[in-house]
């Protein structure tokens, strides 16, 4: 199975600060169809996960553009340009290129 | 818009079975596969597998082969997860998801 390693496990930020989360894959997530199925999700406390970014860098409808994704093959990054209070929670990367799908262990974003 | 509404919380004893439903609306049910995700208390997300909503064929991740069953009631746009012979380690919240859309989750408590 593909292993996704997220760093850091915990991130402390002030409101307005820009932060980045890394997700490294144990194998390339480039699919034979040319797409790379690496998604980013946010799970706020007590809620179900919410899709933020799909296929590395595509912003899900309704998601603020302070969120951005980048990367390729095995190295991916989620950036939040100016953290807001509503951004607090646990961020997961998820790959859907190789069966079975797998998730990173999560990065908890807290207020400093 | 796509909406996934899951059934309510469950309290079961070890050895019993539980059936969780996920009712879909806002799209053609058979157009997209549905996947299931387990989240143990305080833990991350674990992919359980998916069901092809066109054919009804389920595919299970290795950790979920045997006691776990995915099935459909296509006429009602509803997918089900049944867990047989419940064990303490099955205590978790179970989510259904279609693409980037997630149900609200069902908490299953296993206690004698």
């Amino acid at each position: 199975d593909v292993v996704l390693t997220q760093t850091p496990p915990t991130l402390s930020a002030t409101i307005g600060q820009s932060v980045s989360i890394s997700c490294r894959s144990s194998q390339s997530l480039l699919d034979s169809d040319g797409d790379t199925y690496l998604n980013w999700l946010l799970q706020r406390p007590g809620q179900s996960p919410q899709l933020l970014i799909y296929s590395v860098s595509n912003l899900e409808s309704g998601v603020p553009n302070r969120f951005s994704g980048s990367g390729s093959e095995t190295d991916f990054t989620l950036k939040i340009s100016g953290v807001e209070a509503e951004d607090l929670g646990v961020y997961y990367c998820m790959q859907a290129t190789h069966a079975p799908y797998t998730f990173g262990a999560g990065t908890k974003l807290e207020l400093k | 818009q796509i909406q996934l509404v899951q059934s309510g919380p469950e309290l079961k004893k070890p050895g019993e079975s539980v059936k969780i439903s996920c009712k879909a609306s806002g799209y053609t049910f058979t157009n997209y596969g549905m996947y299931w995700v387990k989240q143990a208390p305080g833990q991350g997300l674990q992919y359980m597998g998916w069901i092809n909503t066109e054919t009804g064929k389920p595919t299970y991740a290795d950790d979920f082969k045997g006691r776990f069953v995915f099935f459909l009631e296509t006429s009602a746009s509803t997918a089900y997860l049944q867990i047989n012979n419940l064990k303490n380690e099955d205590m978790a919240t179970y989510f259904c998801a279609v693409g980037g859309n997630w149900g609200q989750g069902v908490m299953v408590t296993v206690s004698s």
Side-chain angles (χ1 to χ4, degrees):
Chain A
D1 296 359
V2 173
V3 176
L4 298 178
T5 303
Q6 277 186 245
T7 54
T10 305
L11 199 47
S12 293
T14 56
I15 300 300
Q17 183 181 351
S18 292
V19 297
S20 292
I21 300 169
S22 170
C23 177
R24 289 191 166 172
S25 174
S26 60
Q27 57 186 278
S28 174
L29 299 183
L30 176 62
D31 193 60
S32 56
D33 66 5
D35 206 340
T36 299
Y37 298 101
L38 186 285
N39 304 330
W40 289 96
L41 303 95
L42 164 62
Q43 187 174 31
R44 297 185 177 94
Q47 295 188 18
S48 55
Q50 169 196 0
L51 180 66
L52 300 175
I53 303 277
Y54 63 94
S55 297
V56 180
S57 59
N58 296 280
L59 201 63
E60 175 71 352
S61 176
V63 174
N65 61 12
R66 62 179 178 274
F67 291 94
S68 62
S70 62
S72 63
E73 302 273 2
T74 60
D75 287 333
F76 304 93
T77 302
L78 174 71
K79 182 176 181 180
I80 311 172
S81 300
V83 168
E84 298 193 6
E86 65 180 21
D87 300 339
L88 304 184
V90 181
Y91 290 80
Y92 295 95
C93 56
M94 170 194 173
Q95 69 82 22
T97 297
H98 302 286
Y101 296 177
T102 48
F103 295 90
T107 295
K108 186 175 185 179
L109 178 60
E110 303 174 326
L111 269 183
K112 190 181 292 182
Chain B
Q1 73 283 18
I2 292 176
Q3 201 169 12
L4 302 173
V5 178
Q6 298 186 242
S7 46
E10 300 274 1
L11 173 59
K12 295 290 183 181
K13 292 180 168 57
E16 292 184 335
S17 294
V18 66
K19 187 169 77 173
I20 296 165
S21 67
C22 175
K23 182 167 177 57
S25 62
Y27 71 104
T28 301
F29 183 68
T30 53
N31 280 2
Y32 302 99
M34 183 172 293
Y35 58 101
W36 292 89
V37 174
K38 176 185 177 182
Q39 186 169 39
Q43 302 300 307
L45 303 171
Q46 185 179 13
Y47 176 75
M48 301 175 67
W50 74 289
I51 185 164
N52 184 319
T53 52
E54 192 174 15
T55 65
K57 180 186 174 187
T59 301
Y60 303 96
D62 284 347
D63 287 347
F64 298 97
K65 291 178 179 175
R67 298 184 298 113
F68 299 82
V69 183
F70 307 148
F71 59 99
L72 306 172
E73 186 179 353
T74 304
S75 61
S77 299
T78 300
Y80 296 90
L81 162 63
Q82 181 165 313
I83 310 172
N84 299 315
N85 187 21
L86 278 162
K87 303 179 184 303
N88 289 334
E89 55 262 37
D90 297 327
M91 188 154 65
T93 298
Y94 293 88
F95 296 99
C96 60
V98 172
N101 303 277
W102 291 62
Q104 82 275 22
V106 174
M107 183 177 295
V108 174
T109 301
V110 182
S111 174
S112 53

